[in-house]
Amino acid sequence: MQYLWTFLIGGALCAIAQILIDKCKLTPARILVIYVSTGTFLSLFGWYQPLVELAGAGATIPLTGFGHTLFKGVSKAIAEKGPLGILTGGLTGAAAGITAAIVFGYLIALLFRPKAKK
């Protein structure tokens, strides 16, 4: 049943983004910001964690999950370090994902030798 919820929730988040791309005049960068901000906003009110518990990777992998991760990191850092945690918590919470994106992006660039568009 977990796989079904993961597929349905993750698929719904991706389908909403695709509808925004197709039907609105929003750029992908604006949709990215909307999704990260939405994940953070929903986490602020405690509404995103139940979704994560229900859907697992279907809720943590899309960009809304990145906003949720940033919020959790900032919340934890504020509890431990006070107001300084606002500046440090987001990167601490998302460090593994950011590092993986950089490392794998670099490896793919080495393997496939990307070229600039003309």
Side-chain angles (χ1 to χ4, degrees):
M1 195 64 176
Q2 178 69 42
Y3 293 122
L4 179 64
W5 282 116
T6 299
F7 175 77
L8 291 175
I9 300 297
L13 289 170
C14 293
I16 292 168
Q18 189 63 49
I19 290 169
L20 289 173
I21 289 170
D22 292 344
K23 299 295 180 187
C24 299
K25 301 268 188 228
L26 296 173
T27 63
R30 288 186 180 179
I31 295 169
L32 178 144
V33 171
I34 290 168
Y35 263 53
V36 172
S37 299
T38 300
T40 304
F41 181 78
L42 293 174
S43 296
L44 175 66
F45 293 104
W47 299 334
Y48 204 78
Q49 187 60 39
L51 192 63
V52 168
E53 291 169 6
L54 175 68
T60 58
I61 299 300
L63 288 169
T64 50
F66 184 66
H68 175 67
T69 301
L70 290 175
F71 179 82
K72 285 190 341 185
V74 169
S75 297
K76 181 179 176 184
I78 289 173
E80 293 173 357
K81 301 175 186 173
L84 183 62
I86 295 170
L87 302 173
T88 62
L91 287 177
T92 303
I98 293 169
T99 302
I102 292 169
V103 169
F104 290 124
Y106 180 73
L107 290 174
I108 294 299
L110 286 176
L111 290 173
F112 295 102
R113 301 187 190 270
K115 294 177 179 69
K117 290 184 178 181
K118 293 182 181 184

